[in-house]
Amino acid sequence: MADCEFLAENTSLVVVPNFKHGHLRFLSGNFGPFGPQTNVILPLWLANWLEQRGSCQVIAPNFLDIESLNTHHREEMNAEDSFVQVPDHYSQVHSLIFEKNRGNEAISSRLEDINIIRADKIRKGLIGIANQAANDEFTYSVRITNMQPIEINRMRKQLTSTLRHFGNLRAVALPVNHVDGQKSSSNSSTLLKKRSRDEAF
């Protein structure tokens, strides 16, 4: 999951410096100028580096305040067959910002609740694919909406190997004319049930 954490470090955050300096120049871009008590937007990797040196205070993004997380939790609970749209890498951003034990327990607990709900939706979706295969409804592709990169990363290997295995079993079990005939039309699963394009899982 290191790749997802690396990508999360490019998330833009507001920091409050306690020093004065011109632009800091890096291969990825120029950041600054910096002035005491003057907000500046920086990527997370640079914000953490400055904070470790005691040079700034990092302001947690709005999507990590407890009210936003409570709202997200309610929406995720209500959306039984789909994922609620959330900022990319929100869980990794939380870990990186609060890795020095500056986190609020209520925030960490609510994030864990959200992650459990989303993980359960993935589990049910994979079971749905297995049930389709058991009923001879082969799944050629899966359309995914609003999943986080780390969630896709976690399920990719299992999902692709499962689809490949079902495909091999179907090719062995069915006669050639049956595979190439009417039942060979592509059946695209949205994991849980058929939904509109905007609601697809």
Side-chain angles (χ1 to χ4, degrees), residues 40-86:
V40 60
I41 297 176
L42 300 177
L44 178 52
W45 61 267
L46 180 54
N48 271 352
W49 180 74
L50 289 173
E51 187 179 50
Q52 289 167 11
R53 294 166 59 90
S55 299
C56 75
Q57 176 187 358
V58 175
I59 307 299
N62 291 336
F63 62 81
L64 286 180
D65 69 56
I66 190 63
E67 274 135 48
S68 294
L69 291 173
N70 285 337
T71 298
H72 177 198
H73 181 261
R74 287 193 299 271
E75 292 174 348
E76 203 73 67
M77 289 282 289
N78 292 333
E80 295 181 1
D81 297 335
S82 60
F83 291 101
V84 174
Q85 185 174 10
V86 291

Side-chain angles (χ1 to χ4, degrees), residues 184-201:
S184 65
S185 59
S186 176
N187 173 26
S188 177
S189 170
T190 56
L191 290 191
L192 296 179
K193 67 179 184 179
K194 300 297 182 183
R195 291 186 290 274
S196 68
R197 183 177 299 273
D198 292 335
E199 296 176 331
F201 168 61

